[in-house]
Amino acid sequence: MLIIYMILTVLLLVLTIQPKIQHSHWIFRVPEFAKIQITYLIFFTFLLGFIIDSTDYLWYSQGLLLVLFVYHSQTLIRYTRLYPVKKHKHRRKSSGKLHFVSANVYQFNKEYGRFYKLIEKYEPDFFMTMESNSDWEKAMRNLEKEYPYQHKVTLENTYGMHFYSRIEIKETRTHYFVADDIPSIEIHMETTDGFSFVFFGVHPPPPSPTEEETSRERDGDLLSTAKRVKDIKKPVIVVGDFNNVAWSRSSVLFRKTSHLIDPRVGHSFVSTFHAKYRFLRFPIDLMFHSEDIFIKQLKTLENFGSDHLPVYCEFFIDHHNNQQEELIETATSEEKAEAEIMIEEGKQEDGNREAVVTED
Protein backbone atom coordinates (compact mmCIF):
# COMPACT_ATOMS: atom_id res chain seq x y z
CA MET A 1 0.00 0.00 0.00
CA LEU A 2 2.87 2.37 0.84
CA ILE A 3 4.50 1.69 -2.54
CA ILE A 4 1.26 2.49 -4.38
CA TYR A 5 0.88 5.66 -2.33
CA MET A 6 4.41 6.83 -3.11
CA ILE A 7 4.11 6.03 -6.85
CA LEU A 8 0.87 8.00 -7.03
CA THR A 9 2.40 10.93 -5.16
CA VAL A 10 5.38 11.13 -7.52
CA LEU A 11 3.15 10.71 -10.59
CA LEU A 12 0.80 13.48 -9.46
CA LEU A 13 3.73 15.80 -8.81
CA VAL A 14 5.10 15.14 -12.32
CA LEU A 15 1.66 15.67 -13.93
CA THR A 16 1.38 18.99 -12.09
CA ILE A 17 4.82 20.22 -13.12
CA GLN A 18 4.66 19.13 -16.79
CA PRO A 19 2.11 21.75 -18.00
CA LYS A 20 4.12 24.51 -16.29
CA ILE A 21 6.91 23.80 -18.78
CA GLN A 22 5.95 25.95 -21.76
CA HIS A 23 6.93 23.46 -24.43
CA SER A 24 4.57 22.66 -27.33
CA HIS A 25 5.17 18.87 -27.39
CA TRP A 26 2.06 16.85 -26.51
CA ILE A 27 3.82 15.26 -23.51
CA PHE A 28 3.76 18.65 -21.78
CA ARG A 29 0.33 19.77 -23.03
CA VAL A 30 -1.83 16.68 -22.51
CA PRO A 31 -1.78 16.79 -18.65
CA GLU A 32 -3.56 20.18 -18.84
CA PHE A 33 -6.66 18.37 -20.11
CA ALA A 34 -6.83 16.11 -17.05
CA LYS A 35 -6.61 18.79 -14.34
CA ILE A 36 -10.04 17.80 -12.94
CA GLN A 37 -9.15 14.10 -12.79
CA ILE A 38 -5.69 14.87 -11.36
CA THR A 39 -7.28 16.94 -8.57
CA TYR A 40 -9.65 14.11 -7.64
CA LEU A 41 -6.77 11.63 -7.64
CA ILE A 42 -4.70 13.93 -5.40
CA PHE A 43 -7.59 14.05 -2.94
CA PHE A 44 -8.02 10.26 -2.83
CA THR A 45 -4.27 9.70 -2.54
CA PHE A 46 -4.23 12.16 0.37
CA LEU A 47 -7.00 10.13 2.07
CA LEU A 48 -5.02 6.95 1.38
CA GLY A 49 -2.13 8.43 3.37
CA PHE A 50 -4.22 8.32 6.57
CA ILE A 51 -4.63 4.55 6.46
CA ILE A 52 -0.94 3.80 5.88
CA ASP A 53 1.27 3.01 8.83
CA SER A 54 3.09 6.20 9.77
CA THR A 55 6.68 6.65 8.61
CA ASP A 56 9.16 9.45 9.19
CA TYR A 57 8.58 11.00 5.77
CA LEU A 58 4.84 10.30 5.29
CA TRP A 59 3.73 13.69 6.59
CA TYR A 60 6.06 15.42 4.14
CA SER A 61 4.34 13.68 1.23
CA GLN A 62 0.93 14.39 2.79
CA GLY A 63 1.88 18.06 2.98
CA LEU A 64 2.98 17.97 -0.66
CA LEU A 65 -0.35 16.44 -1.71
CA LEU A 66 -2.21 19.13 0.22
CA VAL A 67 -0.22 21.85 -1.58
CA LEU A 68 -0.95 20.21 -4.95
CA PHE A 69 -4.66 19.98 -4.12
CA VAL A 70 -4.85 23.66 -3.21
CA TYR A 71 -2.87 24.61 -6.33
CA HIS A 72 -5.28 22.82 -8.70
CA SER A 73 -8.40 23.74 -6.75
CA GLN A 74 -7.78 27.49 -6.91
CA THR A 75 -8.01 27.21 -10.70
CA LEU A 76 -10.90 24.77 -10.90
CA ILE A 77 -13.13 26.52 -8.37
CA ARG A 78 -13.52 29.38 -10.86
CA TYR A 79 -15.52 26.98 -13.04
CA THR A 80 -18.06 26.05 -10.37
CA ARG A 81 -21.08 27.76 -8.85
CA LEU A 82 -19.00 28.38 -5.72
CA TYR A 83 -17.24 31.19 -7.58
CA PRO A 84 -19.36 34.37 -7.30
CA VAL A 85 -20.50 36.05 -10.54
CA LYS A 86 -23.25 38.54 -11.27
CA LYS A 87 -26.57 37.39 -12.70
CA HIS A 88 -27.88 39.45 -15.61
CA LYS A 89 -31.55 40.05 -16.35
CA HIS A 90 -33.13 40.09 -19.78
CA ARG A 91 -34.27 43.69 -20.31
CA ARG A 92 -36.70 45.31 -22.76
CA LYS A 93 -33.85 46.87 -24.76
CA SER A 94 -32.23 43.47 -25.21
CA SER A 95 -32.62 41.22 -28.21
CA GLY A 96 -34.95 38.28 -28.10
CA LYS A 97 -33.52 35.06 -26.69
CA LEU A 98 -31.37 33.11 -29.15
CA HIS A 99 -30.15 29.57 -28.83
CA PHE A 100 -27.79 27.33 -30.76
CA VAL A 101 -26.19 23.90 -30.76
CA SER A 102 -22.53 23.17 -31.48
CA ALA A 103 -21.59 19.56 -32.15
CA ASN A 104 -18.49 17.64 -33.11
CA VAL A 105 -20.35 14.85 -34.89
CA TYR A 106 -17.32 12.52 -35.31
CA GLN A 107 -16.79 11.98 -39.02
CA PHE A 108 -17.23 8.19 -38.85
CA ASN A 109 -20.43 8.31 -36.79
CA LYS A 110 -23.27 7.01 -38.99
CA GLU A 111 -26.13 7.67 -36.56
CA TYR A 112 -27.44 10.60 -38.59
CA GLY A 113 -31.02 10.04 -37.41
CA ARG A 114 -30.09 10.59 -33.76
CA PHE A 115 -28.55 13.95 -34.61
CA TYR A 116 -31.59 14.90 -36.69
CA LYS A 117 -33.86 14.09 -33.72
CA LEU A 118 -31.60 16.16 -31.43
CA ILE A 119 -32.05 19.23 -33.65
CA GLU A 120 -35.79 18.54 -33.90
CA LYS A 121 -36.07 18.32 -30.11
CA TYR A 122 -34.20 21.52 -29.18
CA GLU A 123 -35.08 23.58 -32.29
CA PRO A 124 -32.01 25.85 -32.16
CA ASP A 125 -32.00 29.12 -34.10
CA PHE A 126 -28.75 27.94 -35.66
CA PHE A 127 -26.31 25.07 -35.27
CA MET A 128 -22.77 24.14 -36.28
CA THR A 129 -21.27 20.74 -36.93
CA MET A 130 -17.58 19.83 -36.90
CA GLU A 131 -15.92 16.79 -38.49
CA SER A 132 -18.82 16.81 -40.96
CA ASN A 133 -17.89 15.40 -44.38
CA SER A 134 -19.87 14.78 -47.58
CA ASP A 135 -21.81 11.92 -45.98
CA TRP A 136 -22.90 14.18 -43.14
CA GLU A 137 -23.75 16.96 -45.59
CA LYS A 138 -26.07 14.61 -47.49
CA ALA A 139 -27.64 13.38 -44.25
CA MET A 140 -28.39 16.96 -43.14
CA ARG A 141 -30.12 17.97 -46.37
CA ASN A 142 -33.48 17.17 -44.82
CA LEU A 143 -32.83 20.04 -42.37
CA GLU A 144 -32.19 22.64 -45.06
CA LYS A 145 -35.87 23.56 -45.49
CA GLU A 146 -36.08 24.45 -41.79
CA TYR A 147 -32.65 26.13 -41.86
CA PRO A 148 -32.52 28.00 -45.19
CA TYR A 149 -29.27 29.89 -44.49
CA GLN A 150 -26.14 27.75 -44.69
CA HIS A 151 -22.37 27.83 -44.91
CA LYS A 152 -20.58 24.59 -45.76
CA VAL A 153 -16.91 23.60 -45.67
CA THR A 154 -17.01 19.95 -46.66
CA LEU A 155 -13.75 18.09 -45.98
CA GLU A 156 -12.84 14.43 -45.54
CA ASN A 157 -9.92 15.05 -43.16
CA THR A 158 -12.05 15.30 -39.94
CA TYR A 159 -11.96 19.12 -40.10
CA GLY A 160 -15.09 19.80 -42.17
CA MET A 161 -17.58 22.35 -40.79
CA HIS A 162 -21.24 23.04 -41.59
CA PHE A 163 -23.42 25.88 -40.37
CA TYR A 164 -27.22 26.03 -40.63
CA SER A 165 -29.40 28.94 -39.54
CA ARG A 166 -32.94 30.23 -39.38
CA ILE A 167 -31.50 33.69 -38.78
CA GLU A 168 -30.52 35.59 -41.90
CA ILE A 169 -26.86 35.35 -42.82
CA LYS A 170 -25.47 38.62 -44.17
CA GLU A 171 -21.89 37.58 -44.85
CA THR A 172 -19.68 34.50 -44.52
CA ARG A 173 -15.94 33.91 -44.60
CA THR A 174 -13.82 30.81 -44.33
CA HIS A 175 -10.39 31.40 -42.82
CA TYR A 176 -7.34 29.15 -43.10
CA PHE A 177 -5.13 30.89 -40.57
CA VAL A 178 -2.25 28.42 -40.20
CA ALA A 179 -2.92 25.60 -42.68
CA ASP A 180 -4.90 25.17 -45.91
CA ASP A 181 -6.78 22.16 -44.52
CA ILE A 182 -7.84 23.62 -41.13
CA PRO A 183 -10.80 26.00 -41.61
CA SER A 184 -12.45 28.47 -39.25
CA ILE A 185 -15.78 30.02 -40.20
CA GLU A 186 -16.96 33.59 -39.67
CA ILE A 187 -20.72 34.14 -39.98
CA HIS A 188 -22.31 37.61 -39.83
CA MET A 189 -26.03 37.46 -38.95
CA GLU A 190 -28.90 39.81 -38.20
CA THR A 191 -31.96 38.90 -36.12
CA THR A 192 -35.53 39.84 -37.01
CA ASP A 193 -35.49 42.43 -34.20
CA GLY A 194 -32.48 44.17 -35.77
CA PHE A 195 -29.52 42.88 -33.73
CA SER A 196 -26.36 42.07 -35.69
CA PHE A 197 -23.73 39.68 -34.35
CA VAL A 198 -20.89 37.44 -35.54
CA PHE A 199 -20.49 33.72 -34.95
CA PHE A 200 -17.01 32.22 -35.20
CA GLY A 201 -16.60 28.45 -35.45
CA VAL A 202 -13.18 26.90 -34.75
CA HIS A 203 -11.71 23.40 -34.70
CA PRO A 204 -7.89 23.35 -34.53
CA PRO A 205 -5.93 20.08 -34.36
CA PRO A 206 -5.07 18.61 -30.94
CA PRO A 207 -1.62 17.82 -29.57
CA SER A 208 -1.66 14.08 -28.98
CA PRO A 209 0.39 10.93 -29.66
CA THR A 210 -2.09 9.92 -32.41
CA GLU A 211 -2.54 13.30 -34.16
CA GLU A 212 -0.26 16.35 -33.98
CA GLU A 213 3.04 16.02 -32.13
CA THR A 214 2.88 19.61 -30.87
CA SER A 215 0.27 22.24 -30.00
CA ARG A 216 1.77 24.80 -32.40
CA GLU A 217 -0.93 24.63 -35.07
CA ARG A 218 -3.69 24.61 -32.47
CA ASP A 219 -2.30 27.60 -30.60
CA GLY A 220 -1.47 29.52 -33.78
CA ASP A 221 -4.95 28.96 -35.19
CA LEU A 222 -6.71 30.03 -31.98
CA LEU A 223 -4.59 33.14 -31.50
CA SER A 224 -5.07 34.13 -35.16
CA THR A 225 -8.80 33.87 -34.53
CA ALA A 226 -8.39 36.04 -31.42
CA LYS A 227 -6.65 38.78 -33.44
CA ARG A 228 -9.40 38.69 -36.08
CA VAL A 229 -12.15 38.82 -33.43
CA LYS A 230 -10.57 41.81 -31.70
CA ASP A 231 -11.01 43.88 -34.89
CA ILE A 232 -14.74 43.09 -35.21
CA LYS A 233 -16.94 45.85 -33.79
CA LYS A 234 -20.11 43.74 -33.48
CA PRO A 235 -21.11 41.32 -30.71
CA VAL A 236 -19.08 38.12 -31.18
CA ILE A 237 -19.34 34.50 -30.09
CA VAL A 238 -16.47 32.06 -30.69
CA VAL A 239 -17.49 28.41 -30.39
CA GLY A 240 -16.06 25.05 -31.25
CA ASP A 241 -13.91 22.08 -30.43
CA PHE A 242 -10.88 24.04 -29.26
CA ASN A 243 -8.98 20.85 -28.42
CA ASN A 244 -7.87 22.91 -25.45
CA VAL A 245 -8.96 23.70 -21.91
CA ALA A 246 -9.86 27.11 -20.54
CA TRP A 247 -6.98 27.23 -18.02
CA SER A 248 -4.14 26.50 -20.47
CA ARG A 249 -1.64 29.22 -21.34
CA SER A 250 -2.83 29.48 -24.95
CA SER A 251 -6.49 29.75 -23.84
CA VAL A 252 -5.61 32.56 -21.44
CA LEU A 253 -3.74 34.34 -24.25
CA PHE A 254 -6.72 33.77 -26.55
CA ARG A 255 -9.10 35.35 -24.05
CA LYS A 256 -6.85 38.33 -23.38
CA THR A 257 -5.99 38.91 -27.05
CA SER A 258 -9.60 38.70 -28.22
CA HIS A 259 -11.03 40.72 -25.29
CA LEU A 260 -13.68 38.04 -24.83
CA ILE A 261 -15.31 36.48 -21.75
CA ASP A 262 -15.38 32.83 -20.65
CA PRO A 263 -19.01 32.00 -19.68
CA ARG A 264 -17.96 28.88 -17.79
CA VAL A 265 -16.56 31.00 -14.95
CA GLY A 266 -18.98 30.81 -12.03
CA HIS A 267 -21.09 28.27 -13.90
CA SER A 268 -19.65 24.81 -14.66
CA PHE A 269 -16.98 22.95 -16.61
CA VAL A 270 -19.38 21.79 -19.37
CA SER A 271 -17.20 18.75 -20.11
CA THR A 272 -17.77 17.20 -23.52
CA PHE A 273 -15.07 14.64 -24.44
CA HIS A 274 -15.09 11.66 -24.21
CA ALA A 275 -18.87 11.22 -24.43
CA LYS A 276 -18.77 7.56 -23.43
CA TYR A 277 -16.52 7.86 -20.36
CA ARG A 278 -17.93 10.14 -17.69
CA PHE A 279 -14.87 10.00 -15.42
CA LEU A 280 -12.46 10.65 -18.30
CA ARG A 281 -14.35 13.59 -19.75
CA PHE A 282 -12.60 16.88 -20.51
CA PRO A 283 -14.05 20.38 -21.18
CA ILE A 284 -12.50 20.96 -24.62
CA ASP A 285 -15.52 22.27 -26.56
CA LEU A 286 -15.20 25.87 -25.45
CA MET A 287 -16.99 29.16 -25.96
CA PHE A 288 -16.08 32.82 -25.51
CA HIS A 289 -18.17 35.94 -26.08
CA SER A 290 -18.01 39.73 -26.13
CA GLU A 291 -19.29 41.89 -23.28
CA ASP A 292 -22.61 42.73 -24.98
CA ILE A 293 -23.64 39.06 -25.21
CA PHE A 294 -25.23 37.60 -22.08
CA ILE A 295 -25.42 33.86 -21.53
CA LYS A 296 -28.62 32.51 -20.01
CA GLN A 297 -27.86 28.80 -20.28
CA LEU A 298 -24.85 26.71 -21.27
CA LYS A 299 -24.93 22.94 -21.00
CA THR A 300 -24.21 19.64 -22.72
CA LEU A 301 -26.95 17.65 -24.42
CA GLU A 302 -27.44 13.91 -24.77
CA ASN A 303 -25.04 11.78 -26.78
CA PHE A 304 -26.05 11.01 -30.38
CA GLY A 305 -23.26 8.54 -31.19
CA SER A 306 -20.31 10.93 -31.39
CA ASP A 307 -17.26 10.92 -29.12
CA HIS A 308 -18.20 14.49 -28.11
CA LEU A 309 -21.33 15.64 -26.33
CA PRO A 310 -23.09 18.51 -28.13
CA VAL A 311 -23.19 21.94 -26.46
CA TYR A 312 -26.38 23.97 -26.10
CA CYS A 313 -26.33 27.71 -25.44
CA GLU A 314 -29.07 30.30 -24.89
CA PHE A 315 -28.13 33.98 -24.97
CA PHE A 316 -29.31 37.51 -25.66
CA ILE A 317 -27.65 40.70 -26.87
CA ASP A 318 -27.77 43.95 -24.89
CA HIS A 319 -25.82 46.97 -26.16
CA HIS A 320 -26.81 49.13 -23.18
CA ASN A 321 -25.59 46.92 -20.34
CA ASN A 322 -21.91 47.43 -19.47
CA GLN A 323 -21.81 45.22 -16.37
CA GLN A 324 -19.65 42.60 -18.06
CA GLU A 325 -16.90 45.02 -19.08
CA GLU A 326 -15.10 44.35 -15.78
CA LEU A 327 -14.70 40.69 -16.81
CA ILE A 328 -12.53 41.56 -19.80
CA GLU A 329 -8.79 41.11 -19.38
CA THR A 330 -6.35 42.50 -21.92
CA ALA A 331 -2.94 41.21 -22.92
CA THR A 332 0.25 42.93 -21.78
CA SER A 333 2.92 43.84 -24.33
CA GLU A 334 4.84 40.70 -23.35
CA GLU A 335 1.74 38.54 -23.84
CA LYS A 336 1.06 40.14 -27.23
CA ALA A 337 4.61 39.30 -28.29
CA GLU A 338 4.16 35.74 -27.02
CA ALA A 339 0.93 35.40 -29.01
CA GLU A 340 2.65 36.62 -32.19
CA ILE A 341 5.40 34.03 -31.74
CA MET A 342 2.78 31.29 -31.31
CA ILE A 343 1.00 32.39 -34.49
CA GLU A 344 4.20 32.30 -36.53
CA GLU A 345 5.16 28.90 -35.11
CA GLY A 346 1.70 27.61 -36.02
CA LYS A 347 2.08 28.79 -39.62
CA GLN A 348 5.51 27.21 -39.94
CA GLU A 349 4.45 23.85 -38.49
CA ASP A 350 3.86 21.07 -41.00
CA GLY A 351 0.80 19.15 -39.85
CA ASN A 352 1.35 16.37 -42.43
CA ARG A 353 -2.34 15.36 -42.46
CA GLU A 354 -4.01 13.15 -45.05
CA ALA A 355 -6.64 14.81 -47.28
CA VAL A 356 -8.96 11.85 -46.76
CA VAL A 357 -8.98 10.20 -43.35
CA THR A 358 -10.42 6.70 -43.01
CA GLU A 359 -11.47 4.98 -39.81
CA ASP A 360 -8.90 2.50 -38.50
Side-chain angles (χ1 to χ4, degrees), residues 12-13 39 50 87 126 145 195 312 329 343:
L12 291 166
L13 177 61
T39 306
F50 288 108
K87 304 296 181 183
F126 54 92
K145 184 177 180 181
F195 286 81
Y312 173 91
E329 295 182 70
I343 290 170

Side-chain angles (χ1 to χ4, degrees), residues 225-255:
T225 300
K227 284 185 66 179
R228 168 61 188 157
V229 165
K230 183 176 173 292
D231 294 332
I232 297 175
K233 304 307 177 185
K234 299 175 185 177
V236 181
I237 299 176
V238 182
V239 180
D241 176 4
F242 278 56
N243 279 312
N244 206 356
V245 284
W247 45 80
S248 76
R249 179 60 180 167
S250 54
S251 280
V252 172
L253 285 175
F254 172 89
R255 178 168 48 80

Side-chain angles (χ1 to χ4, degrees), residues 70-255:
V70 171
Y71 169 75
H72 288 288
S73 296
Q74 68 179 359
T75 297
L76 296 181
I77 198 170
R78 287 173 49 83
Y79 302 92
T80 71
R81 295 187 183 277
L82 297 174
Y83 192 80
V85 292
K86 290 181 180 178
K87 304 296 181 183
H88 303 285
K89 294 182 179 179
H90 196 167
R91 307 187 309 174
R92 285 188 300 173
K93 293 181 179 180
S94 308
S95 72
K97 290 181 181 179
L98 302 166
H99 52 121
F100 68 85
V101 169
S102 169
N104 182 322
V105 297
Y106 182 57
Q107 182 171 300
F108 309 107
N109 174 21
K110 303 300 182 184
E111 299 190 55
Y112 310 118
R114 289 177 69 183
F115 182 72
Y116 181 86
K117 289 178 181 177
L118 185 87
I119 298 300
E120 263 194 336
K121 178 180 178 180
Y122 291 97
E123 298 184 317
D125 295 303
F126 54 92
F127 67 91
M128 177 182 70
T129 61
M130 293 157 286
E131 288 201 30
S132 40
N133 60 356
S134 57
D135 290 339
W136 270 95
E137 184 177 319
K138 291 174 187 175
M140 291 189 288
R141 281 178 186 162
N142 55 3
L143 292 166
E144 291 184 4
K145 184 177 180 181
E146 193 69 29
Y147 294 89
Y149 304 99
Q150 300 133 27
H151 182 64
K152 304 173 183 178
V153 186
T154 308
L155 297 171
E156 302 295 332
N157 64 350
T158 72
Y159 291 99
M161 304 179 84
H162 289 71
F163 184 87
Y164 297 82
S165 177
R166 290 172 174 165
I167 300 170
E168 184 179 0
I169 293 177
K170 294 293 187 179
E171 180 186 355
T172 65
R173 297 184 188 182
T174 302
H175 299 281
Y176 296 90
F177 289 122
V178 298
D180 59 9
D181 59 350
I182 302 295
S184 299
I185 59 173
E186 177 183 337
I187 314 292
H188 294 246
M189 291 182 280
E190 185 175 334
T191 66
T192 54
D193 52 356
F195 286 81
S196 296
F197 67 100
V198 180
F199 178 95
F200 244 99
V202 300
H203 183 204
S208 79
T210 58
E211 296 196 48
E212 299 307 316
E213 186 174 303
T214 75
S215 64
R216 288 172 186 159
E217 279 190 308
R218 180 199 69 182
D219 297 341
D221 188 73
L222 291 176
L223 289 166
S224 296
T225 300
K227 284 185 66 179
R228 168 61 188 157
V229 165
K230 183 176 173 292
D231 294 332
I232 297 175
K233 304 307 177 185
K234 299 175 185 177
V236 181
I237 299 176
V238 182
V239 180
D241 176 4
F242 278 56
N243 279 312
N244 206 356
V245 284
W247 45 80
S248 76
R249 179 60 180 167
S250 54
S251 280
V252 172
L253 285 175
F254 172 89
R255 178 168 48 80

Side-chain angles (χ1 to χ4, degrees), residues 18-51:
Q18 273 181 300
K20 299 299 291 181
I21 300 171
Q22 292 305 314
H23 193 287
S24 61
H25 196 279
W26 66 264
I27 288 176
F28 300 97
R29 303 278 60 87
V30 166
E32 292 175 321
F33 291 70
K35 183 179 279 285
I36 300 169
Q37 289 78 7
I38 288 170
T39 306
Y40 276 117
L41 190 54
I42 289 170
F43 178 72
F44 288 118
T45 305
F46 180 75
L47 294 182
L48 179 63
F50 288 108
I51 62 173

